[in-house]
Amino acid sequence: HPAGDSARKATQCLAFSVDGGRSFEKFSGNPVLRTRDSYDRDPKVFFHKPTRAWFMVLSLSRNNADRDHATYGLFRSKDTKSWELLQEIGPGAWYWECPDMFEMPVDGEPGLTKWLLMKGAGDYIIGSFDGNRFNPENGPVRIQWGGCYYGAQTFNEAPGGRRIQIAWMNSGSKEDRPNAYPGMPFNQQMSFPRELTLRKTAEGLHLFRYPVAEIEKLYAKVTSAGGRDLVPGENILPSLPGELLDVELDVELQQAKQLKLSFRGQEIVHDVEKNKLKVFGTVNPAFAATDGKLSLRILLDRTSIEVFANGGQADASRIFFADPSDRSSFIGVTGGPARITRLVIRELRSIWN
């Protein structure tokens, strides 16, 4: 619709490829779905083999004016051209933008699967789906803190049966960050791809997210250490060995009051007494030590840092803009000793020639 047209509406349209995705042609019968309100958006489409039907989960925005009554609409089609509404899931402010819906196996239980309904920030609801209705069983569950992870979507039919997710690492408006990516022909970036797994924990089923194994193809130089004591006043990593890093750290917290890490000014601080981790200035209640042990993994890029705790049970992402020459870092403790049982620092090659 022409810009400024007060009657403009978002509609869902179809494009298809006959050459493996190298080129696409728009369907002559577009739009394939018209909905009631303006700005209904963000279709995620998947094929459901048991019912031989296509399904679309769509953000029904209530004209962007009433988030408390927003829903996700679940639509079904036999040919991807004619769609029927099966269910509205919600309402509530949680059901806002960028839905994703998919089935996942549960670790250790052959044949046992659950369905996940996910929002743009990665929060999720676990439930069941029979081809007619999604039935929530628990949630929503928050998994991400840090403010730079949104619009998350997963790939259907990924090789090896994996569920791979990528999100938008939003850096805010130009008014907030006028010097974002100086000299670059783009603004903002995508997250590092994460593999999702659904696992049993003491608190029930929980979604884990962890960097995809393909990161190993970028490893250039590896430095490993373990069995090292940390004492207050010592910094065991006074400078970064490279610009692009994949750092894994396992710590027995012992008598330490705080574990402190810093990479180019981006701080990660664990309060041992409260058993809370503050990542980039925000306390993340999902980051907690178990039996006095904490496992962290940090992916450091030129303008981003992504932190994963306890094998991906929680993660946080942040965009930052530091001096490219800044290689400052810190790993240390306050208040008492701790012990590093594993420290692996991998320098990465750039994906760009």
Side-chain angles (χ1 to χ4, degrees):
H1 296 275
D5 182 354
S6 61
R8 64 187 300 184
K9 291 187 66 174
T11 55
Q12 314 313 311
C13 297
L14 171 67
F16 60 91
S17 174
V18 294
D19 58 7
R22 292 175 177 85
S23 64
F24 283 84
E25 181 178 344
K26 293 181 180 179
F27 175 51
S28 61
N30 281 331
V32 296
L33 177 61
R34 296 180 185 270
T35 49
R36 184 187 67 189
D37 294 327
S38 301
Y39 308 114
D40 293 344
R41 57 192 178 273
D42 304 333
K44 177 61 183 287
V45 176
F46 61 91
F47 186 69
H48 187 239
K49 292 179 181 178
T51 58
R52 303 292 301 172
W54 294 90
F55 290 85
M56 177 197 301
V57 58
L58 182 72
S59 174
L60 302 179
S61 65
R62 298 303 187 267
N63 289 321
N64 280 1
D66 187 4
R67 291 187 67 156
D68 289 339
H69 293 90
T71 60
Y72 287 153
L74 184 60
F75 298 80
R76 178 172 56 195
S77 174
K78 287 294 185 178
D79 60 5
T80 72
K81 293 178 286 188
S82 300
W83 295 87
E84 61 172 330
L85 177 64
L86 294 179
Q87 177 186 5
E88 284 194 54
I89 308 167
W94 191 89
Y95 302 91
W96 185 258
E97 293 188 332
C98 305
D100 197 358
M101 184 174 166
F102 49 88
E103 188 176 21
M104 290 200 70
V106 178
D107 285 355
E109 292 287 341
L112 176 61
T113 64
K114 292 292 181 181
W115 281 82
L116 273 73
L117 179 66
M118 187 170 287
K119 65 181 292 187
D123 304 355
Y124 63 92
I125 296 171
I126 297 175
S128 61
F129 176 61
D130 61 2
N132 288 290
R133 187 171 186 85
F134 174 79
N135 294 301
E137 297 176 1
N138 67 354
V141 177
R142 185 176 179 180
I143 192 173
Q144 194 278 333
W145 281 257
C148 293
Y149 197 89
Y150 194 65
Q153 292 291 295
T154 61
F155 291 92
N156 292 332
E157 307 296 337
R162 297 182 299 170
R163 179 61 57 170
I164 307 298
Q165 182 184 71
I166 298 180
W168 164 46
M169 296 187 72
N170 46 321
S171 63
S173 67
K174 286 191 175 183
E175 290 75 16
D176 295 333
R177 300 178 185 270
N179 297 316
Y181 303 96
M184 294 295 103
F186 56 83
N187 184 23
Q188 307 180 48
Q189 66 182 71
M190 307 309 290
S191 72
F192 194 85
R194 291 148 162 74
E195 180 176 357
L196 309 186
T197 52
L198 189 60
R199 308 182 198 176
K200 290 183 176 180
T201 71
E203 292 75 34
L205 292 180
H206 191 86
L207 187 69
F208 285 68
R209 304 193 299 198
Y210 214 52
V212 293
E214 284 81 354
I215 194 173
E216 297 174 1
K217 297 179 180 179
L218 301 177
Y219 290 162
K221 181 180 179 182
V222 180
T223 304
S224 300
R228 173 166 183 167
D229 293 325
L230 284 175
V231 296
E234 179 187 19
N235 177 11
I236 67 166
L237 191 66
S239 64
L240 296 172
E243 187 179 26
L244 316 176
L245 298 176
D246 180 356
V247 179
E248 293 188 68
L249 178 70
D250 296 339
V251 182
E252 294 178 353
L253 297 165
Q254 297 182 346
Q255 286 80 49
K257 293 188 179 298
Q258 285 187 329
L259 171 70
K260 290 188 173 183
L261 296 85
S262 177
F263 301 92
R264 296 193 192 122
Q266 307 307 305
E267 288 193 339
I268 304 162
V269 181
H270 181 73
D271 186 313
V272 178
E273 183 178 1
K274 295 179 180 179
N275 196 18
K276 299 291 185 183
L277 195 73
K278 181 181 287 188
V279 186
F280 322 133
T282 301
V283 174
N284 184 333
F287 280 89
T290 303
D291 299 326
K293 299 177 181 179
L294 185 66
S295 175
L296 296 174
R297 186 171 180 184
I298 300 103
L299 299 187
L300 184 67
D301 208 334
R302 290 170 182 163
T303 57
S304 64
I305 181 170
E306 299 172 82
V307 181
F308 303 83
N310 301 329
Q313 191 168 9
D315 61 270
S317 305
R318 183 175 176 84
I319 296 291
F320 67 94
F321 303 100
D323 184 332
S325 64
D326 182 3
R327 298 290 178 91
S328 63
S329 62
F330 180 90
I331 298 179
V333 292
T334 65
R339 185 170 180 80
I340 291 179
T341 56
R342 182 170 180 262
L343 174 61
V344 181
I345 301 175
R346 299 179 177 93
E347 297 179 43
L348 306 177
R349 293 184 297 272
S350 172
I351 64 170
W352 306 105
N353 292 327

